[in-house]
Amino acid sequence: MNLFRKKSIQDLIQEAGQKDVVLKKDLGAFDLSMLGIGAIIGTGIFVLTGVAAAEHAGPALILSFILSGFACAFAALCYAEFASTVPVSGSAYTYSYATFGELIAWILGWDLILEYGFASSAVASGWSGYLQGLLAGFGIHFPKAITSAYDPANGTYIDVPAILIIVIITLLLTQGVKKSARFNTIMVIIKLAIVLLFIGVGAWYVKPSNWTPFMPFGFSGVTAGAATVFFAYIGFDAVSTAAEEVKNPQKNMPIGIIVSLLVCTVLYIAVSAILTGIVPYQELGVKNPVAFALNYIHQDWVAGFISLGAIAGITTVLLVLLYGQSRLFYAISRDGLLPKVFSKVDKNKQTPMTNSWIICLLVSIFAGLVPLNKLAELTNIGTLFAFMTVSVGILYLRKNKQAPKTGFRVPFVPYIPILAFVFCGYLIVQLPKTTWISFGVWLVIGLFVYFGYGRKHSTLNKTVDPLKKVS
């Protein structure tokens, strides 16, 4: 049985429309841009900026964001072409099925399950922390036992607020993609207003002397900071998981991916410049650096709004991650590599209802019981691995002339895909050894699942003679 059997682009598109109940096409370019911004601006800008400045880059955090932004921009162009060419759910998993074959596609799918699943759990934990901090300002406190993950030494056993927000977001997602998109848009507008408020107020308190020395940890600190803040860009690839629910995907998918990334990159650079201009970088190693900076300049009333904006921001990140996870499971299940329960679509809502609630259960377990730092460790490596594979996939598409002439096309091929691969490869080798070991263990588990279940149940077994090689 050929482990690298492929599905042509035409077959992937045709199969997407053959089910009795298909996903509803309800999204336009604006909806996709809001989904992208909703996924990108959140934990990264409200949490990681301070730690990256204090421990890695100092005021040169601006360069860290630019470096990560370039890596994402090159990768985003590659995603945009694939999303335009293969308007099917599944993101990098589906693209790999058309280019590299089933085994590589499964590895990418298993990798993305790790990325979306652990990232969702980590974001839910972060949301819980911000909510508790906001309520504490009003004198409202949860019993300590239900405020954080399992840690009997500190008196905590389960993070109930994290589980609660996962259930609420899942309930919203099962009501249909258009309602979810409307809610996301409202929350995105709120958090963009909050970010712009910080920029507008903070710009008047910048002291250029705080930018000296500009690069206290050297260029190695800039690259380490870039690898850290890369988490802030995770999410734009989730836009590509919406492909089957988009009107005119050849036009709207590239717009949504590129616009969302451009908007967020500009805001990240502005926020990092103002943040390190207001507060000496040595003092930014806190969990809420943006609110801390405003307290530092005695603008406490704005700091309160920042906490509210952070909650709104993290909520939209969680929504898009859970949405992307459900569509990923849907695509893999439709190909037979996971049980069919994940690809059942509700006739009334036209969403994968059962799939969403199973994911809710799994993510809730991790978010409720596993500490935040453990959840976040593997997210970056999974994303960078996917970006690198998609970049190489564009080279394969062009060499084999599989892609149609219509739709978005990456400019300056092969240079842009090669730059995407090199930038992401440089960032991935900056990650610690323990992350690589954990990632390797996860992939080995995935291979056991594929050879134990997926290979046998693959839909390609029903369409080809297993004794013959297929391409």
Side-chain angles (χ1 to χ4, degrees), residues 35 59 97 136 159 164 182 216 285 315 318 454 463 466:
L35 276 177
Y97 221 139
D159 194 338
L164 182 62
R182 287 172 184 163
T315 301
L318 182 59
T463 57

Side-chain angles (χ1 to χ4, degrees), residues 406-441:
T406 58
F408 180 83
R409 306 267 286 179
V410 177
F412 308 115
V413 172
Y415 305 109
I416 294 295
I418 290 174
L419 284 171
F421 184 87
V422 170
F423 267 78
C424 293
Y426 184 76
L427 291 178
I428 204 170
V429 298
Q430 307 300 316
L431 296 172
K433 181 179 178 180
T434 53
T435 302
W436 279 94
I437 294 172
S438 301
F439 184 60
V441 171

Side-chain angles (χ1 to χ4, degrees), residues 13 101 209 211 223 398 446 465:
I13 295 173
S209 59
W211 290 331
T223 57
R398 295 297 180 87
D465 182 349

Side-chain angles (χ1 to χ4, degrees), residues 179-203:
K179 289 182 179 179
S180 301
R182 287 172 184 163
F183 173 80
N184 178 73
T185 298
I186 294 170
M187 300 299 277
V188 166
I189 291 172
I190 292 173
K191 70 176 174 182
L192 284 179
I194 296 297
V195 171
L196 292 174
L197 177 64
F198 170 75
I199 293 172
V201 173

